[in-house]
Amino acid sequence: MQNAASMHDRAVLAQGQTGEQRQWMTLALAAIVLVTVLRVLGLAFNRTDLFVDEAQYWLWGREMALGAYSKPPLIGWLIRAATILGGGEGTFQVRLAAPVVHGVAAAGILVLGRMIYDAKLASLAALVYLTLPAVTLGSLLISTDTPMMLFIVLSMISVRKLAQARGEGRAATLWSLLLGLCFGLGLMSKYAMIYFLPCFIAAGWFCVGWRIRLRDAAVAALVCLVIIAPNLWWNAAHDFMTARHTADNANWHGVQLKIGSALEFFFSQAGVVGPFVFVGMIIATFRAKTAEARALVALSVPIVLLITAQGLMSRALANWAVGAYAAGVLLAVPVLASRRWLTVSTLVLGGIVAIALPLMTIAGTELRLPSGELAMKRYLGRSELVSTGLSRAREAGADAIVASDRSILAELFYQLWDEKQVMTRALPETGVPSSHYALLYPLKTGEAKNPLFLASADGLPACLAGEAPVAHWTAGPGFVEGREIGLWRLPPQCIPEGANGQ
């Protein structure tokens, strides 16, 4: 009788635990769907202009080429799909994929977390990821980091599945194919995906749960190569322009020790993922005693250290290590869950940012800092500048607007893509082109009868020094607020022999 009662109690306990696990998973999925829907709705009321990079990515989507000047082309393809599905070319449609992709990535974190932890920790990891400051910002703007994060998560899931199949002695060809597909698409999103190749090898060395068969890795590598081959061909056909631009971004000029730059990058990561998550990662790294924890360290910490080293030698932008935090969130979660106040503080702080940033784009576009500058000036004033420039150019009888500033060119091409009377062109350059526009859209000799050069008065090329503008005005609120903007007639000497437009 006692045995029967004991078995009954265990069954009830197991059933209760299963019910609790299901509740956690349901809560996490419901939160992911709700937050994603709210973020999409928020985009409909977003009052900011496209940032220069976003407008450039939009152009890549119009071109649908196999490569682009500074990054792989998948971000443009993603935007093109979103504008087709969204039924327009507005800022809402251009950014539409961002919150959706991050929502899917959060669901992927939930699945991956469940492979490593129980449902509670997996759900917490998904909620933490969903409210990371970087993810909140990445859901408001479309960037190459967004699809890369999704493919990082999907690649990690594929590796876990392959490792599980290896342990059970069964074939898993489909997962090998999926790993190659995801890793290849990650590279087509952003070349920083390559960091994960040594990270996956190290994770497999530390933990059998991440160790896959050589033949599965070979199949994945072959599929990945097929995926990225068209982009490699494009680069070869364009003098490896993307690789050269990436090297220029690294900006290595001899051995230098910029300790301030390295420290600035390292501590900026507390803003990228929130201070609790970042400190939780550091604590978990020093406490990593299990094979699973060491594998998660291998999948996250080396990337942060690598970019910190890059900052030591040159410069490093805060988002350059963002790919580390797919695994980093999973690494930090046990530490965050060890104390209730840590869990609550992490989610509350992330939640505040998740609410405040969208509100800034809707109701805070006129908010000014103590210095008098608009808090969101980087994302304002671009549309107005180009609209005014087009109006003045038409009054002056221009048949082309030419620029050399990438910020102005990006907005010009975005606004005037379908313009029939006034074409948009980049000022031709000698040597290596400095932008996607100078590479593919330079003004050719004889292409326009009355081209006008649009620029700020303090950003004129030497060939226009001392020339009077055809029209000029003071820029309104935004990224060039208060600066003198003008249109200048473009003389032949501004198009040198041997320029890339000739």
Side-chain angles (χ1 to χ4, degrees), residues 114-464:
R114 191 64 188 91
M115 295 177 176
I116 301 171
Y117 303 124
D118 61 19
K120 181 178 179 180
L121 286 181
S123 300
L124 179 58
L127 294 176
V128 169
Y129 175 86
L130 197 63
T131 56
L132 291 179
V135 171
T136 294
L137 182 60
S139 298
L140 294 169
L141 309 168
I142 189 71
S143 78
T144 53
D145 290 327
T146 297
M148 183 186 69
M149 287 294 282
L150 173 60
F151 292 120
I152 288 170
V153 175
L154 295 178
S155 294
M156 289 195 292
I157 291 173
S158 300
V159 170
R160 290 292 297 198
K161 287 291 188 179
L162 286 170
Q164 183 181 356
R166 175 184 179 274
E168 296 173 357
R170 56 182 174 83
T173 305
L174 183 60
W175 286 107
S176 298
L177 296 173
L178 186 60
L179 174 59
L181 176 66
C182 292
F183 205 94
L185 291 176
L187 285 169
M188 291 291 277
S189 302
K190 193 171 183 178
Y191 295 135
M193 184 76 185
I194 197 66
Y195 299 157
F196 281 86
L197 181 57
C199 289
F200 277 132
I201 294 172
W205 185 72
F206 280 121
C207 178
V208 69
W210 292 90
R211 194 173 304 158
I212 69 175
R213 287 171 293 218
L214 185 59
R215 68 171 180 268
D216 290 332
V219 169
L222 181 61
V223 173
C224 178
L225 184 60
V226 170
I227 296 296
I228 66 172
N231 182 243
L232 296 177
W233 174 85
W234 186 95
N235 271 278
H238 290 81
D239 199 22
F240 292 98
M241 186 58 65
T242 313
R244 293 166 70 174
H245 174 79
T246 302
D248 288 342
N249 262 351
N251 196 29
W252 289 359
H253 298 292
V255 177
Q256 304 177 62
L257 293 178
K258 298 185 177 181
I259 297 176
S261 174
L263 290 177
E264 180 182 359
F265 167 79
F266 185 79
F267 289 109
S268 73
Q269 300 310 288
V272 171
V273 293
F276 296 108
V277 175
F278 190 57
V279 172
M281 277 183 61
I282 295 173
I283 293 172
T285 299
F286 283 105
R287 287 183 181 176
K289 296 179 180 179
T290 66
E292 192 72 76
R294 292 188 183 116
L296 290 173
V297 170
L299 288 164
S300 56
V301 174
I303 298 173
V304 177
L305 295 180
L306 175 66
I307 306 302
T308 301
Q310 158 67 26
L312 188 64
M313 291 183 287
S314 176
R315 66 174 187 136
L317 301 183
N319 71 306
W320 283 7
V322 71
Y325 300 114
V329 165
L330 291 165
L331 175 64
V333 153
V335 174
L336 301 177
S338 65
R339 297 288 186 274
R340 182 179 177 83
W341 69 270
L342 274 175
T343 303
V344 173
S345 298
T346 301
L347 294 177
V348 167
L349 182 59
I352 290 172
V353 174
I355 294 171
L357 285 184
L359 285 179
M360 283 288 292
T361 67
I362 297 170
T365 54
E366 297 180 5
L367 181 65
R368 293 187 178 270
L369 301 173
S371 63
E373 289 187 338
L374 285 168
M376 303 195 71
K377 72 173 188 175
R378 278 164 46 105
Y379 310 103
L380 299 169
R382 300 176 186 275
S383 176
E384 180 183 357
L385 185 149
V386 168
S387 296
T388 303
L390 177 61
S391 175
R392 301 294 178 90
R394 282 174 171 164
E395 292 173 1
D399 57 353
I401 298 178
V402 183
S404 59
D405 186 315
R406 191 171 72 96
S407 293
I408 295 177
L409 281 165
E411 189 65 29
L412 275 170
F413 273 86
Y414 175 60
Q415 283 202 45
L416 309 186
W417 179 262
D418 292 327
E419 171 66 34
K420 304 300 182 184
Q421 298 178 342
V422 182
M423 72 177 72
T424 301
R425 290 293 183 265
L427 186 69
E429 302 172 355
T430 56
V432 179
S434 64
S435 72
H436 186 80
Y437 310 97
L439 175 67
L440 297 180
Y441 301 99
L443 180 70
K444 295 178 174 62
T445 300
E447 190 175 17
K449 294 181 180 179
N450 185 25
L452 296 183
F453 187 77
L454 176 63
S456 62
D458 57 359
L460 292 177
C463 63
L464 286 175

